[in-house]
Structures are given as C-alpha cells and as structure tokens.
Amino acid sequence: MKVLVLGAGQLARMMSLASTHLGISVLAYDVGSKQVINPVTFEVKSTTLEQEVEQSYAITAEFEHIPEDVLNICQQSGKFFPGAESIATGGDRSKEKALLDNAHVPCAPYALITEKQAFINAIDELGLPLVIKTCQAGYDGKGQWRLKTPDDAEQIWSEMKDFLDSGTEAAPHSIIAEKMIPFDREVSIIGVRARDGQCKVYPLTENQHTNGVLTLSIAGKEKAAIQAQAESAFEKLATELNYVGVLAIEFFDVGGQLLVNEIAPRVHNSGHWTQQGAHTSQFENHMRAITGLPVGSTKLVRPTAMINVLGQPSIPYTVLGVQNCTSHWYGKESKPGRKMGHINVSADNLHELGERLAELAELLPEDDYPGVSVTSHALILN
Amino acid sequence: MKVLVLGAGQLARMMSLASTHLGISVLAYDVGSKQVINPVTFEVKSTTLEQEVEQSYAITAEFEHIPEDVLNICQQSGKFFPGAESIATGGDRSKEKALLDNAHVPCAPYALITEKQAFINAIDELGLPLVIKTCQAGYDGKGQWRLKTPDDAEQIWSEMKDFLDSGTEAAPHSIIAEKMIPFDREVSIIGVRARDGQCKVYPLTENQHTNGVLTLSIAGKEKAAIQAQAESAFEKLATELNYVGVLAIEFFDVGGQLLVNEIAPRVHNSGHWTQQGAHTSQFENHMRAITGLPVGSTKLVRPTAMINVLGQPSIPYTVLGVQNCTSHWYGKESKPGRKMGHINVSADNLHELGERLAELAELLPEDDYPGVSVTSHALILN
C-alpha cells in the first residue's frame, strides 16, 4: 500500500518508519524542489507528483503551507486526507478562528484585522497587551508582534500594513489581534479520527517553548477534568472538519480552563513522545487512519518526556545510557535553531521521570537544551 | 553511521527499521544473489561486498550459514560483531555442545556421531528414544530424526550416513544424538552483551512450535527463579564467546530445570515481542551493541504475545482493531510455510492478554494460526 506525503521533512520520515511494518511504503513530495523522494534514505525518484498521486492508495501532508496547485491535484484524486479544507484551516488563522467559533470551542477574545480602523478598534475593545499574528504563513514565532503600550501601535501597524499589502486579490492577507491572556502554561492534545468518524485521543501534553519554539513536552501528569475538556475540544473540531488522521490542538491553560491557541492538521512535535510512551504512536495512527485501517490505542503506557534537539550537529550518544531513553535523529543538515532530532525518555511514574530528566540534564548543556533541569526538579518534588 | 547486515531477510529489515532513528543506516548483503540491497525498500545497490565492508562502521549477520569467504572478509575488517566464532558456533551443533560444556551450562545428555560405532554406542549409553540432528546446516526441524525403537536404527543410519559422507575434509559433517527428555515446554531467553561486557537480558519467553516452526511466543509470565537460571546461562555463554550483540538461547523446561536446546547468535523470532513489550526492542539493542552505543533497557513494559504469520498472502487488517495489537509484514513473496510477518499484542496483565488473544482467535483461522485459542483460554483461567 503506497502513501504519498506532501513535504519531505522529519514528519514524513517518521510516518514512513512507523508504518513500514504495516505493509505501507511511503514516498514524499518536496514542494520546494518539486521532487519525489524517499524521506528515510533521501533518495530522489524520477517520478512526478502526478504519477505518484495516481499510484498512491492515500495522500497526506506534513505541513500546512502547500502551494494551491499541488493541493488541488491531491484533493481531486479523492485520496487526500485530512483534505484540502483541513489543511487550509491549519494554514490560515482567520479560517481557524471561524472554525473555533462554529464548533463552539473557546479561544482568547480576538479581532480580525484587514485595515487600520479595525486595528484601532481592536486596541479599544480588547485592551492591551495584544498578541498580533499574521493569518497566513508564519510559524514558530515568526510573523508575530506584541503590542504592550499605545506608543508602539504606529510602528507595529507599519509592519502589519506591509504584510496586509503583500496579499493578492486571490490570496488576501489578514491579521488576528488577540487579547494577551496571562496563562499558567501551554498544553496540547493529539488525537486521531478514523474514516468512520471514531475519535481516539492521547493524554494531554504539557509543552515548554523557548523563543517561540517547542523545547520540551511531558505526557502523563494531567488530571481527568482537564483531559475531558481537551478531548471535548478535539471531538468538536475534528467532527466539524470531518477530519481524517491525526490532528493537534495547542491550548493555553488559564486557571484550569483551556483556550485554544492554534490547531495543526497533522502529526505534531508535541506528540513525538507517543513513539515511546503510548501503544500506538501518532505516526502509526495517522497512517492507519488515512489508509482506512482500524486506529490503535492512544492510551498512555508510561509517563514520557520529549526533549527537542535544535541546531545541534548530533545528539550526545551518552543519553542512550539513561534508563528508558532513546534518541531520534532526522538525518538533516545542521543549521542554527533547526529541528535536528529529539530525545524521548520514559519512566514508571512521574517521580522516576524527574530522576531520568535530572540524569539527562547532566549530559545536555542548559543553553542548548533549556528547561530540562528545572522540569526534573519540579517532577521530583511533586 | 553505516551498518552492513549479512542476509537480506526480515531480520535485517527490522534491524534497519529499529535503528534509523539512532542515525544508523543499514544495507544488507544477500549471500545467495551476492547483491547489496536495502532490506526495507529491496532496492539493489551497485556496490560490492568489499566496498560496503570498507564503508561500514559495523557489520553483523541475520543468520548462521554464511559462506566462509564472506565470513572471512567480514572478520578481517575487525568490524564484524558478534564475530566469526560466534556465528560458526551457532551454525554447528558440535561447536555449540562444546561451548555448553566449556561454560558449564546444562543440556540433554548427548553423543557426537561421525561413524556407525558411535551411533551404536549412543543408543546403548543414552537409551531410546533419541533425537538425532545434523550438526551442520538444517534448521526449523529439517535434518532431524527421532529414533524410538531399535528396529528403525538401520533405516535412520543409512540417511545419517548420507549426510556424514557428504562432508569434506575441509568441512567435515557430524551428527549429534540427544537423549529425548520429556519436557514441559520450550522457553527462550534473549539478551544483549555490549562491547564492554555488560549483559542485559529480556524476560523469558514461552514458545509454541508447530511442525518444528515457532508459531506463538508469550513474554511476561515467568517466575524469578526460572528467569535467574536463564540469565545465568546467558551470561556464561555470552561471556565465554566474548559475544557482542543480541544472542538467543532456546531451552527445554524440565520440571523447572532449564536444559539448553540450541543457541542463535543473532536477533531471534522468539524476541519479536520486544518491539511492543519492552522499552528497547531486540533489534535496536543489537544495533546499539554492535555500534558501541549504550544498550537500552530490556525490562518488560507489558505482557506481550507474538503470533507468527506463516505462508499467508497478507495479515487480516481486522487484527489492528484489537486493543494494543499491531502487525508486522515483511514484504516478501508468499510461499507455503514461509515466515511472512507476525502479530504482536500487549495487555496490562496476563488475564487481559488472554482476552486479547481470544479476540484474535476469532479473526485468525486455527489451521493457519495454531494455538491462539488454547493459549487464550489458559491465560484467562490462570
């Protein structure tokens, strides 16, 4: 059974590695180079997108910002999951907010901005500080502003205007201004929806970001009430989108109330812990869902933490000496800040997980791997 | 880090899939066709054995019956683990028995036979019934006889003589006659020995064979005393061989006493459950050991059963609907009796594992998948 993935990065790679045993063979289409490649060996194939679409049993994507012509070819094949609408929703904050409103899933108060008066009104109505985000493109903290005092409004507006003006009639640009809500922490839920509508949801994950990029996730420490909130949001959104595959939802936790930050219509960095901490990984479950196979258990097997490896030339092999720890290397060329791999570590309980993280903190410099030491202390004391 | 595997079957394939995330890339050398291939994609490479030996960081094998010239090239590189002696020991029962004697690890009383008088003596000294096995070549029940009454001795001797006569001076043939000990069951231990001599051993596995071929394994139901016996045997044998990598030892359980049946100097079918039931699979641990990386935890995560898929054209996709079940398909052409794949199923306890097997028994015809139903009942009642 052949599956084509749009995008040829680590997510396509891990989808391949997690589904070969099911008899699925994966190729990836790199939308930049317009080449078909094997995402594990990086070997370039001589086939075209159209040929692979024709030969594939199912098609999916590892990211949201896919050129419209590519998206159209895939959508027209009838084999594309989660489908062009879901991908478009994940790639455009204005569509995402409309989805949240339609599905009655709460997020921070927001305003859509396409011209200056709307910006002025948003400052009045929402109040400062505001988080301002471009609706199209932009990821990992790029294309965002924080407006803290009215004095900065003009400067920020000029940058916002540049973005709005760079849209076209066919692809207009817009901006979302959100009330900055003081939140306790960021969490995310990863779930899978099968072709028949069945939803299975993994345990909530607590995420730490550094400079807008995910650096550490922990699964297995959440209470039932907050898990139920997240599962309810997942089911509403996945059902509203008639979604097939793995969907990720990021939340702000505000005193135990979850407000959606953003959704990602794909396997997600904050779900990488499922490779060692759940029976069926998010990658295997995504592949099962899009090919119409029964989806697997999303239950936690053991509390698990994931540490991102950003911009490093390699992962210290010594981490493999820590009990229940394994490393995932993506085989990419190292660049500053680039996601190069991740480290998963599991334990029988949260206290033990804290001890494992303390061992890892000894091996991983704080500057390169922020938060490992602090998190280990918090888990050990808890 | 490149690793070359001698043999291009499912074991090489699973070694590749289990170590790509560590940054290891695997190629396989098919000793039959003398081709270098990717054991996952089956793509044939244009390189030679010598070139791949030169470029590899480590070399290993997925089976014991490797042509001597190939073995020599690999051994001379200094990168071959577990090494030619271990491979030769696994491929020759006379060497295997000598190893057991040297390491003081018990097996059934036996006699080495190279001519007729030794056969007559063995019948006298060991008594009937006897299990008679060729020392060289032969696997999965082939090259074996059972001598139950003296009347059959002449007929069996004539077949034994054919085998002995087909040896050469450089590669003489021999035969082992073993006293047939009534045993309660067959179990095996899989363990890994690192380059520094550290041993880690998985929980004992109970195995069921049908027509001499493994059909079902269960891990997670053994008591500490018998586990300790098996671990002791592993450490003695692995140390005696100065072994590096995963080594499998099959035993007969005779009233709680373990007698070695045979050893396999490689990852082993009875260790496939480790893919879902242990933190680090036997495949990942073998690759870690031979490349000098720290070996991972061999602890049981959850009781797990493995069901072999023999000669089937596919695995019923419905098995994926059973909780905590996944399937492993090797991508080979189907032939009667051929190992085509396996099914792993895990549970939180043995009773639940029995229930899962009962569900699988409904989906898997008894003739094709013997023992699933009986085993499920035994686990549920226990």
Side-chain angles (χ1 to χ4, degrees), chain B residues 30-151:
Chain B
D30 182 339
V31 300
S33 67
K34 301 188 179 180
Q35 286 176 321
V36 175
I37 76 162
N38 178 323
V40 176
T41 63
F42 302 121
E43 191 198 359
V44 176
K45 302 286 176 183
S46 58
T47 48
T48 63
L49 172 65
E50 288 77 1
Q51 286 170 326
E52 292 299 337
V53 166
E54 172 71 27
Q55 286 171 30
S56 292
Y57 182 81
I59 304 162
T60 191
E62 63 153 22
F63 74 128
E64 298 85 69
H65 303 288
I66 297 162
E68 210 172 313
D69 57 335
V70 173
L71 213 51
N72 286 341
I73 290 171
C74 295
Q75 185 68 15
Q76 282 160 19
S77 73
K79 310 173 194 173
F80 184 51
F81 300 100
E85 190 202 335
S86 293
I87 296 293
T89 304
D92 186 326
R93 288 182 218 278
S94 66
K95 293 195 169 89
E96 189 179 87
K97 295 291 187 195
L99 167 71
L100 294 173
D101 290 347
N102 289 340
H104 306 292
V105 172
C107 61
Y110 74 92
L112 185 68
I113 294 169
T114 52
E115 38 82 49
K116 190 167 186 181
Q117 190 55 48
F119 183 45
I120 293 165
N121 293 348
I123 295 170
D124 276 356
E125 287 159 22
L126 299 174
L128 298 189
L130 284 179
V131 183
I132 299 162
K133 299 171 181 171
T134 59
C135 289
Q136 298 79 28
Y139 61 96
D140 283 349
K142 292 162 197 155
Q144 298 201 5
W145 301 269
R146 291 183 179 219
L147 180 60
K148 292 177 184 168
T149 73
D151 299 346

Side-chain angles (χ1 to χ4, degrees), chain B residues 32 118 165 197 228 236 258-259 273 297 330 352 362 372:
Chain B
D165 288 350
K236 285 178 186 168
L258 296 184
L259 299 180
W273 66 266
S297 169
Y330 307 152
E352 201 176 275
E362 296 289 316
V372 179

